[in-house]
């Protein structure tokens, strides 16, 4: 698990364009995670089935680290005026939860993780509303 999480970190880092704006980098981070999970559904299932608040060790650490990266990206987008200024902590939790729930929905419906469909839902229900309020 630790090795796969390191691979996810490297995959995500490569997906982020340093010249992109903060909101676009947030989108890139989300898409990279979705694409990584889509490539390895078995790992995705193991990782998602561990409840982060009760897990210990590497899964808890990596879940917290991923959440903090999302929060950082959200704060940067707020500082740039791309997302409405509000408490970034619940927004990061909502975004993280939406990603996990939509991956789970694909699994419950016996279909592979579809990053394009999931990103479209994230845009429509999470990112567009908060960016419109900016």
């Amino acid at each position: 698990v630790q090795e796969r999480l390191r691979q996810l970190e490297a995959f995500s880092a490569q997906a982020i364009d340093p010249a992109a704006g903060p909101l676009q980098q947030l989108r890139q981070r989300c898409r990279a995670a979705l694409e990584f999970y889509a490539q390895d559904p078995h790992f995705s299932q193991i990782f998602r089935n561990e409840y982060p608040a009760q897990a210990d060790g590497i899964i808890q650490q990596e879940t917290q680290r991923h959440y903090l990266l999302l929060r950082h990206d959200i704060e940067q987008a707020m500082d740039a005026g791309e997302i409405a200024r509000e408490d970034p902590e619940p927004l990061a939790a909502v975004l993280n939860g939406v990603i996990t729930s939509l991956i789970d929905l694909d699994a419950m419906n016996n279909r592979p993780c579809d990053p394009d469909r999931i990103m479209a839902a994230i845009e429509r229900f999470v990112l567009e509303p908060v960016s419109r309020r900016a």
Side-chain angles (χ1 to χ4, degrees):
V1 170
Q2 189 171 24
E3 177 59 30
R4 292 297 292 153
L5 290 170
R6 286 186 184 137
Q7 291 170 0
L8 170 59
E9 181 178 346
F11 189 80
S12 294
Q14 290 174 346
I16 302 214
D17 177 3
L23 184 55
Q24 187 59 29
Q25 288 181 350
L26 176 62
R27 288 179 176 112
Q28 292 167 347
R29 183 179 310 284
C30 292
R31 177 169 287 284
L34 289 168
E35 289 175 359
F36 186 85
Y37 290 136
Q39 292 173 8
D40 189 349
H42 181 68
F43 171 74
S44 175
Q45 182 181 21
I46 291 169
F47 189 73
R48 289 184 346 272
N49 286 336
E50 289 291 334
Y51 188 66
Q54 295 179 2
D56 60 354
I58 189 67
I59 290 179
Q60 182 183 40
Q61 292 169 7
E62 290 302 313
T63 300
Q64 183 176 18
R65 191 184 63 72
H66 177 71
Y67 163 79
L68 291 173
L69 288 170
L70 287 175
R71 181 180 172 165
H72 176 264
D73 289 346
I74 289 167
E75 289 171 337
Q76 293 294 311
M78 287 177 181
D79 291 345
E82 296 176 328
I83 293 180
R85 172 68 58 196
E86 47 194 278
D87 186 352
E89 189 168 14
L91 183 54
V94 165
L95 183 55
N96 191 54
V98 168
I99 292 168
T100 301
S101 295
L102 292 173
I103 292 171
D104 286 344
L105 182 62
D106 278 349
M108 285 187 293
N109 288 317
N110 294 317
R111 61 183 178 224
C113 175
D114 182 348
D116 291 332
R117 189 186 63 73
I118 292 172
M119 278 305 300
I122 290 168
E123 286 289 339
R124 180 175 178 203
F125 298 114
V126 180
L127 297 179
E128 287 177 10
V130 297
S131 63
R132 275 196 305 260
R133 291 195 316 263

